[in-house]
Every structure is written in C-alpha cells, then in structure tokens.
Amino acid sequence: MSGNKLYALLGRHLSHSYSSLIHKELGCKEYCHTELEREELKTFFKKEKIGGLNVTIPYKKDVIPFLSSLSREAEDIGSVNTITCEDGKLIGHNTDAYGFEFMVKFAGIDVKNKKVIILGSGGAHLAVKYALKELGAREIVTISRSGEDNYENIHRHYDADVLVNATPVGMYPEDEGKILDLSPFKSCSGVLDLIYNPFRTNLLLQAEEMKIPYANGLSMLVAQAKRAEELFFLKSIPDEEILRIMKIISRDTRNIVLVGMPGSGKSTVGKALGLLSGKEVVDTDEEIVKTVGLSIPEIFEKGGEKLFREYEIQAVKNACIGSGKIVITGGGAVKREENYAPIKRRARVYHLERDLSILDREGRPLSKGADLEKMYEERLPLYSRFRDTVIEVTPDATKTAELIWRDFCENSCY
C-alpha cells in the first residue's frame, strides 16, 4: 500500500514477473503482486482502495465490468492492462500498445507498409494489432489454431514481412516450444516475440541464425510499465528510464556462458567473474563429476567420449535453467547440437581465446597428446556459432573477468 492506496500487478500466477522490480525502479517503492482466482475479483474491487493496478493474463477482459469507464485505447483494443483511480472512479487503460510500439522502434524493425503476421488471438494480440495499425502496417493477419487463418493454411502468408509471436509458446518453463519454422518466410525482415523469459526463445534463436533482426518482449514490458506509472501519478518519465531498467533486469537475470578450448582458462576466469559479479558459478564438468561420482578421466575410461557427452548434455541443460548464473562449459560442449539452445536462450555467450601453445592439458583426456591446432580448426566454426562475442584471455584472470563484466553490463539487453 502507498498512502493507504494499493499499487500492484493483478493476475493469477505472478512468481516470475519482473513488474515489481520495474515499478520500484520507476519510483513506486511499495508496488506489489496480487494473485487472485477469477471468483475473487468482485470482492477485491469492492474492498481494496486502489491507487493504480496493472493487469496481466488472464484478467485483461475480466476486470472491465468493475470499471467506471475506459480510455479510448482500451475501448478500441477491447482489453485493459492498467487501472487508475480518478475522483474515486476506476478508469481502464491499455499501455500494451504503447509498449509494443516502443519494442518495434527499439528493435529497428520497420512495419510501415509491410505485411505483418500476428501469431495468436489472445488478449495480447489485440494491443499488438492496434499498435500495428497506428504504425502504418499495410496488412495484418492474425493466425490462430481454429480461425480462418490458421497453422494449417499459414502457407498462404509465407510472403509476410514481419512476424509477431503473441502466444506463450516457448515461454519459461516450457522453453522447448517453438510456434513455427521461419524457413518458408523468404521475405521476413523482422521477428518480434512478446516473451521475455527466456531472453531468446527458439523462434528468436532461428531468427538469429537466419540473420533476421529480432527482439524479445523485455522492452515492451518495461515501456508499458513506464506509461502505466505516468498514468498512476500524472507525471512524465523520460524514455531513457526504459533503457536503464532493461539493463538492470538483463544484468541481473541473464546468464554468462563461457565456451572455448580445453585449458583456455574458463574455470579460473569464471570463478573470478563470480567474485566480481556476485553471480552463482556453475562448472558443467564439476557437476558431471558430482552426479556420476567419477572423475572426467574415469568417465572416458569407462565409456569414452560418447558417454561423457551424454552426461554433458544433461549437465548443460541443468546449469542453464534459471537465471543470473555464470556457466563454465567443457571445451567440447559446442560439439553437440543439443547444447545449443539451452546455452543460448538465457545467456550472453563468451568465447575465450588463448594461445594454443600455453593451453593446460592436465586432466583433459582429449587434449593429452592431441594435435591442438587440428582440434581448434575443427571447433572454431562451432565456437563462432555459439558465441555472442570473443574475449582474449590475459595472464591475469581478474583482468579478463573485468573485460567480460564490462561488456556484459553494456550489452546484456541486446
């Protein structure tokens, strides 16, 4: 409560929401989360002294009967995600359209005079459609499971210029989901996914591989909250605050993953980075040893590289679930395709480069007696595919960690 008035996010399951953090950064220090079942809404609106609410799924339409009036945007869109109290009356607004417009501009994706597909026909798509019209899209097609335009006949729209995912497919904890394959969309010049957890859904990972500009929903989330805060307190907040808060969230929630040749210093640098950043450090090789009860050389003796890689797939997956970690991978983790998505979804990935002549071979079954130049030549295309950037390892692990942390703080939300 703030001044005996409630400022909160209203929804059903809110444990993974960033809204409280965002609004506190915007100045509403007592902003909280309120979880309710649908049958509790009536009592809630009778009892609570409301200052301002944000509304998320599944209640963006359910709250309308409890309101005195709607803003023009909320009425045109047909859903409410923000409620203000004016002279004792509750007014419904929709700031999602504002947030989506910011997301499009932040991504640098042009929708004017373009054909845009919206995947999903739920509440979110209404605000997206409204914003696309405001931005001058030439044609807007909504794809749903059972509508006139659906996933069975989507081939009719392979000429689309921009795709927007307004479904929860691919959202945590169901990370493995993917709404569709981008390959047939030969004219696609932009992909926008309203999901912000994980940072890169499987859809966005494919967009990245196809070199299509893309953006996740974090910018929309923060921008719509900024606009809601302006409505709550009748004040103006500069857009620079959106970028500042995006960086805070990304810095705190994205993982840092280190890849590189065996002996390149990933473990030493990773531990120094943990001390510098305060993030949890997880070494996948150490996790394998703990789980299996055998050293890495013993695992190789027992079942060779094939057995080790099977253990590694699970270790990488476990290590990369969750957020705000530093994950140290084995030198050959990039050899298995199964590791690509888990590593990339939540992380900025750093490829540590080091002179091959000084790589440590001790306790590394594949490095002992191996031709490291040949190994490096084989693995470099894989490191290049997995990585977001390259860091040259210096003799001082702390200095290398400082280079990574500086880059991460500057670039983690891009």
Side-chain angles (χ1 to χ4, degrees), residues 87-348:
D87 298 323
K89 295 181 179 180
L90 297 180
I91 314 298
H93 307 263
N94 192 300
T95 65
D96 279 336
Y98 173 92
F100 182 75
E101 286 190 35
F102 183 90
M103 176 183 177
V104 172
K105 292 170 186 173
F106 175 77
I109 294 172
D110 184 16
V111 298
K112 189 172 184 178
N113 298 320
K114 300 290 179 68
K115 178 175 180 176
V116 184
I117 283 180
I118 305 172
L119 304 171
S121 58
H125 111 279
L126 297 170
V128 170
K129 188 173 183 179
Y130 177 89
L132 288 169
K133 288 179 181 177
E134 294 288 304
L135 291 168
R138 181 186 82 250
E139 182 181 356
I140 303 168
V141 179
T142 299
I143 304 295
S144 63
R145 284 175 291 184
S146 56
E148 180 182 347
D149 294 296
N150 54 64
Y151 296 97
E152 297 299 318
N153 61 32
I154 196 172
H155 58 273
R156 301 187 304 182
H157 303 292
Y158 282 165
D159 61 337
D161 300 295
V162 177
L163 275 71
V164 181
N165 179 34
T167 78
V169 177
M171 184 169 68
Y172 179 82
E174 305 297 333
D175 294 5
E176 301 296 334
K178 185 177 175 185
I179 190 69
L180 51 68
D181 178 17
L182 291 173
S183 301
F185 295 90
K186 304 301 182 184
S187 303
C188 186
S189 59
V191 180
L192 299 158
D193 197 327
L194 272 54
I195 293 169
Y196 55 85
N197 183 10
F199 187 85
R200 288 180 277 216
T201 59
N202 286 342
L203 183 70
L204 295 187
L205 285 175
Q206 187 181 12
E208 183 176 86
E209 291 237 79
M210 293 174 66
K211 296 182 168 41
I212 300 171
Y214 69 87
N216 68 18
L218 181 60
S219 57
M220 177 179 173
L221 176 74
V222 180
Q224 66 79 27
K226 190 270 286 193
R227 181 64 187 133
E229 194 81 7
E230 290 177 328
L231 293 170
F232 290 165
F233 299 106
L234 301 177
K235 64 180 181 179
S236 178
I237 301 172
D239 284 352
E240 287 76 17
E241 282 293 278
I242 300 173
L243 300 179
R244 181 184 71 83
I245 294 169
M246 285 176 64
K247 284 188 175 183
I248 290 172
I249 293 172
S250 297
R251 182 196 66 201
D252 292 347
T253 61
R254 282 192 80 183
N255 294 334
I256 294 173
V257 175
L258 306 182
V259 301
M261 285 286 284
S264 59
K266 297 186 298 295
S267 294
T268 307
V269 171
K271 287 167 185 174
L273 192 53
L275 291 173
L276 180 64
S277 66
K279 289 178 178 283
E280 176 189 3
V281 179
V282 182
D283 186 316
T284 59
D285 280 357
E286 290 180 3
E287 292 304 305
I288 292 168
V289 171
K290 284 181 196 173
T291 302
V292 180
L294 298 172
S295 68
I296 303 297
E298 287 171 336
I299 293 171
F300 271 81
E301 287 175 17
K302 180 182 177 183
E305 184 178 2
K306 182 178 179 183
L307 178 62
F308 175 77
R309 296 297 172 210
E310 292 303 314
Y311 288 137
E312 186 176 55
I313 288 169
Q314 192 59 51
V316 167
K317 183 177 180 181
N318 292 343
C320 293
I321 289 173
S323 60
K325 299 178 185 177
I326 294 161
V327 179
I328 301 163
T329 66
V334 296
K335 293 176 67 176
R336 294 298 292 264
E337 179 64 23
E338 296 94 327
N339 292 331
Y340 181 77
I343 283 175
K344 295 282 284 183
R345 283 192 195 110
R346 290 181 175 78
R348 183 162 173 82

